[in-house]
Amino acid sequence: MISLTKQWEKHQPLVIIKEENVIIKVGREIEHPMLEMHLIEIIDVLKYTKAGLLRVKTFELKFWEKPEIIFPVSDIKAWTYKIQARCNLHWTWDDDFVI
Ligand SMILES: [Fe+2]
């Protein structure tokens, strides 16, 4: 059985704001595998609102892609956001970031 620490290392999304882009990579220490049978299927970007979390972007990934997305920082307004990365085998992992 894989430890929770190992699961965290390869599932926890990492948000990098670089120049004019938001880059989200899945896996802090180890890039998550992208195989037909085991992959990051969806990365959601959600915004905190008074009514709860509001989905603002959804990226569906295929097994031949990297577990990484990029979009212009101008696509979203200055706010606090939550990233959710969904593995088809190992649940959803999330983190917050502020623009
Ligand atoms: Fe996984």
Side-chain angles (χ1 to χ4, degrees), residues 7 10-11 32-33 38-40 87-91 93:
Q7 293 285 21
K10 70 176 187 179
H11 289 90
H32 190 278
H38 181 200
L39 72 160
I40 298 300
C87 171
N88 69 321
L89 297 181
H90 303 114
W91 323 287
W93 300 71

Side-chain angles (χ1 to χ4, degrees), residues 4 9 14 20 23 32 42 56 58-61 65-66 69 72 79 81 83-84 86 89 91-93 96:
L4 190 58
E9 289 172 351
L14 173 65
E20 299 301 316
I23 302 163
H32 190 278
I42 293 177
V56 293
T58 296
F59 298 86
E60 291 185 32
L61 304 180
E65 298 176 302
K66 287 177 70 73
I69 59 168
W79 204 261
Y81 293 88
I83 296 297
Q84 291 182 335
R86 188 187 315 158
L89 297 181
W91 323 287
T92 297
W93 300 71
D96 292 348

